[in-house]
Amino acid sequence: MTKLDATDLPAPRARRTTALRGGANTELIAWLFMRISGVILLVLVFGHLFVNLMVGDGVHAIDFAFVGGKWSEPFWQVWDLLMLWLAMIHGTNGVRTIINDYAERTGTRLVLKSLLYLAFVVTVVMGTLVIFTFDPCPPGSPADLLPSFCAA
Amino acid sequence: MASAPAAPPSPAPVPAPRSSRGRSTLYRGTEGMWSWVLHRITGVGLFLFLLVHVLDTAMVRVSPEVYNDVIGTYKTPIMGVMEAGLVAAVIFHAFNGIRIILVDFLAKGPRYQRVMFWVVIGLTVVLMAGFLPRHLGNVFGGGH
């Protein structure tokens, strides 16, 4: 029997050289991401709500022409794209945390997280495509439904 | 031989388990717990709305008519009231998130977490007081 020498034990407060699982500490990255993206989302979402619901006629002014007008400017394309990606990652990670908290069976967690990640991929891909393949002046549509610049 | 069996122990007074009601713990039922509960509920609600909202916005790729029909449902009185709840959830979640960051990163954050919860509630009420007249005016009033 080998004698365990006290010097074989790591010092009590020694920094662990490897994370518990995986190489990088993904939970630390997720924790940090929630805080950084949260602050950015506060600005993006408050701006989104202010421009769409407070200015002018608010929700009554939202129609195809309104969206077409906004997305003809790269500024709002980038704004909405950033908002889409950050909000989807932030929200998906939040729901992932909740699933980990409440779904106790491994199978249940697997099913719920699979559905969650599927919803993430579908929504992000669809939203991104919509922002960049959008035609504000689709041919054959009544002119009164389109942004005014389509007539020019 | 064996001595007479010991008399059953007299029912010694067992201390009652701590009541789940009342301030029996530092956390349960206090501002910290409600902040956590509200953050989760508003978070899940906002995520579900986000999925629906990307889908309804995607209708711009179908046709102007379809998009205007779908977004028209957002202008009805019932949806208008639900939008007000949605905006309130956004404002609370945003400011409570800032509160969480301050609790995490400021040395004195945990000491002021309870005060900060009421600041979050106050800010939510103030912003909603600015938003509600405008929004409900758009939904119920003219604005057509």
Side-chain angles (χ1 to χ4, degrees), chain B residues 30-32 35 95-96 99 102-103 108-123:
Chain B
T30 60
E31 288 87 344
S35 150
F95 286 136
N96 197 51
R99 170 184 163 278
L102 294 178
V103 169
K108 291 191 173 180
R111 186 182 301 174
Y112 294 110
Q113 64 90 7
R114 195 169 284 188
V115 182
M116 286 196 286
F117 174 76
W118 291 110
V119 172
V120 167
I121 296 291
L123 284 173

Coordinates of all heavy atoms in Angstrom, one line a residue, chain B residues 30-32 35 95-96 99 102-103 108-123:
Chain B
T30 N -39.4 37.4 0.5 CA -38.9 38.7 0.6 C -38.7 39.3 -0.9 O -38.9 38.5 -1.8 CB -37.6 38.8 1.4 OG1 -36.6 37.9 0.7 CG2 -37.8 38.3 2.8
E31 N -38.2 40.5 -0.9 CA -38.0 41.1 -2.2 C -37.1 40.3 -3.2 O -37.4 40.2 -4.3 CB -37.4 42.6 -2.0 CG -38.4 43.6 -1.5 CD -38.4 43.6 0.1 OE1 -37.9 42.6 0.7 OE2 -38.9 44.5 0.6
G32 N -36.1 39.7 -2.6 CA -35.1 39.0 -3.4 C -35.8 37.8 -4.1 O -35.6 37.6 -5.3
S35 N -38.2 39.2 -6.9 CA -37.4 39.7 -8.0 C -37.0 38.5 -8.9 O -37.2 38.6 -10.1 CB -36.2 40.4 -7.5 OG -35.1 40.2 -8.4
F95 N -34.8 46.4 -16.3 CA -34.2 47.1 -15.1 C -33.8 46.1 -14.0 O -32.8 46.3 -13.3 CB -35.2 48.1 -14.6 CG -35.3 49.4 -15.4 CD1 -36.5 49.9 -15.7 CD2 -34.1 50.0 -15.9 CE1 -36.6 51.1 -16.5 CE2 -34.2 51.1 -16.7 CZ -35.4 51.6 -17.0
N96 N -34.6 45.0 -13.9 CA -34.2 44.0 -12.9 C -32.9 43.3 -13.3 O -32.1 42.9 -12.4 CB -35.3 43.0 -12.7 CG -35.2 42.2 -11.4 OD1 -35.0 42.8 -10.3 ND2 -35.2 40.9 -11.5
R99 N -30.3 45.5 -12.1 CA -30.2 45.3 -10.7 C -29.3 44.0 -10.4 O -28.4 44.1 -9.5 CB -31.6 45.1 -10.0 CG -31.5 44.7 -8.6 CD -33.0 44.4 -8.1 NE -33.0 43.6 -6.9 CZ -32.9 42.3 -6.9 NH1 -32.8 41.6 -8.0 NH2 -32.9 41.6 -5.7
L102 N -25.7 44.8 -11.0 CA -25.1 45.6 -9.9 C -24.9 44.8 -8.6 O -23.9 44.9 -7.9 CB -26.1 46.8 -9.5 CG -26.2 47.8 -10.7 CD1 -27.2 48.9 -10.3 CD2 -24.9 48.4 -11.0
V103 N -25.8 43.8 -8.3 CA -25.6 43.0 -7.2 C -24.4 42.1 -7.4 O -23.6 41.9 -6.4 CB -26.9 42.1 -7.0 CG1 -26.6 41.0 -6.0 CG2 -28.1 42.9 -6.5
K108 N -21.0 46.7 -2.8 CA -22.1 47.0 -1.9 C -23.4 46.6 -2.5 O -24.5 46.9 -2.0 CB -22.1 48.5 -1.5 CG -21.0 48.9 -0.6 CD -21.2 50.2 0.0 CE -20.1 50.5 1.0 NZ -20.3 51.9 1.6
G109 N -23.4 45.9 -3.7 CA -24.6 45.5 -4.4 C -25.5 44.7 -3.6 O -26.7 45.0 -3.4
P110 N -25.0 43.6 -3.0 CA -26.0 42.7 -2.2 C -26.6 43.5 -1.0 O -27.8 43.2 -0.7 CB -25.0 41.6 -1.7 CG -23.9 41.6 -2.7 CD -23.7 43.0 -3.1
R111 N -25.9 44.4 -0.5 CA -26.5 45.2 0.7 C -27.7 46.0 0.2 O -28.6 46.2 1.0 CB -25.4 46.1 1.3 CG -25.9 46.8 2.5 CD -24.8 47.7 3.1 NE -23.6 47.0 3.4 CZ -22.4 47.6 3.8 NH1 -22.4 48.9 3.9 NH2 -21.4 46.9 4.0
Y112 N -27.7 46.5 -1.0 CA -28.8 47.3 -1.5 C -29.7 46.6 -2.4 O -30.5 47.3 -3.1 CB -28.2 48.6 -2.2 CG -27.4 49.5 -1.3 CD1 -26.0 49.6 -1.4 CD2 -28.1 50.2 -0.3 CE1 -25.3 50.4 -0.5 CE2 -27.4 51.0 0.6 CZ -26.0 51.1 0.5 OH -25.3 51.9 1.4
Q113 N -29.7 45.3 -2.5 CA -30.5 44.6 -3.4 C -32.0 44.8 -3.2 O -32.8 44.9 -4.1 CB -30.2 43.0 -3.5 CG -30.5 42.3 -2.2 CD -31.9 41.7 -2.1 OE1 -32.6 41.8 -3.1 NE2 -32.3 41.2 -1.0
R114 N -32.4 44.9 -1.9 CA -33.8 45.1 -1.6 C -34.3 46.5 -2.0 O -35.3 46.6 -2.6 CB -34.0 44.9 0.0 CG -35.4 44.8 0.4 CD -35.4 44.3 1.9 NE -35.1 42.9 2.0 CZ -35.2 42.2 3.1 NH1 -35.6 42.9 4.2 NH2 -34.9 41.0 3.2
V115 N -33.5 47.5 -1.7 CA -33.8 48.9 -2.2 C -33.9 48.9 -3.7 O -34.8 49.5 -4.3 CB -32.7 49.9 -1.7 CG1 -33.1 51.3 -2.1 CG2 -32.6 49.8 -0.2
M116 N -32.9 48.3 -4.3 CA -32.9 48.3 -5.8 C -34.1 47.6 -6.4 O -34.5 48.0 -7.5 CB -31.6 47.7 -6.3 CG -30.3 48.5 -6.1 SD -28.9 48.0 -7.1 CE -28.4 46.5 -6.2
F117 N -34.6 46.6 -5.7 CA -35.9 46.0 -6.3 C -37.0 47.0 -6.3 O -37.7 47.1 -7.3 CB -36.3 44.8 -5.4 CG -37.6 44.2 -5.8 CD1 -37.7 43.4 -6.9 CD2 -38.8 44.5 -5.0 CE1 -39.0 42.9 -7.3 CE2 -40.0 44.0 -5.4 CZ -40.1 43.2 -6.5
W118 N -37.1 47.8 -5.3 CA -38.2 48.9 -5.3 C -37.9 50.0 -6.3 O -38.8 50.6 -6.8 CB -38.4 49.4 -3.9 CG -39.0 48.3 -3.0 CD1 -38.4 47.6 -2.0 CD2 -40.3 47.7 -3.1 NE1 -39.3 46.7 -1.5 CE2 -40.4 46.7 -2.2 CE3 -41.4 47.9 -4.0 CZ2 -41.6 45.9 -2.1 CZ3 -42.5 47.2 -3.9 CH2 -42.6 46.2 -2.9
V119 N -36.6 50.3 -6.5 CA -36.3 51.2 -7.5 C -36.7 50.7 -8.9 O -37.3 51.4 -9.7 CB -34.7 51.5 -7.5 CG1 -34.4 52.4 -8.7 CG2 -34.4 52.2 -6.2
V120 N -36.5 49.4 -9.1 CA -36.9 48.8 -10.4 C -38.4 48.9 -10.6 O -38.9 49.3 -11.6 CB -36.5 47.3 -10.4 CG1 -37.2 46.5 -11.6 CG2 -35.0 47.1 -10.5
I121 N -39.2 48.6 -9.5 CA -40.6 48.7 -9.5 C -41.0 50.1 -9.8 O -41.9 50.4 -10.7 CB -41.3 48.2 -8.2 CG1 -41.0 46.7 -8.0 CG2 -42.8 48.5 -8.2 CD1 -41.7 45.8 -9.0
G122 N -40.3 51.1 -9.2 CA -40.7 52.5 -9.4 C -40.4 52.9 -10.8 O -41.3 53.6 -11.4
L123 N -39.2 52.5 -11.3 CA -38.9 52.9 -12.7 C -39.9 52.3 -13.7 O -40.3 53.0 -14.7 CB -37.5 52.4 -13.1 CG -36.3 53.2 -12.5 CD1 -35.0 52.5 -12.8 CD2 -36.3 54.7 -13.1

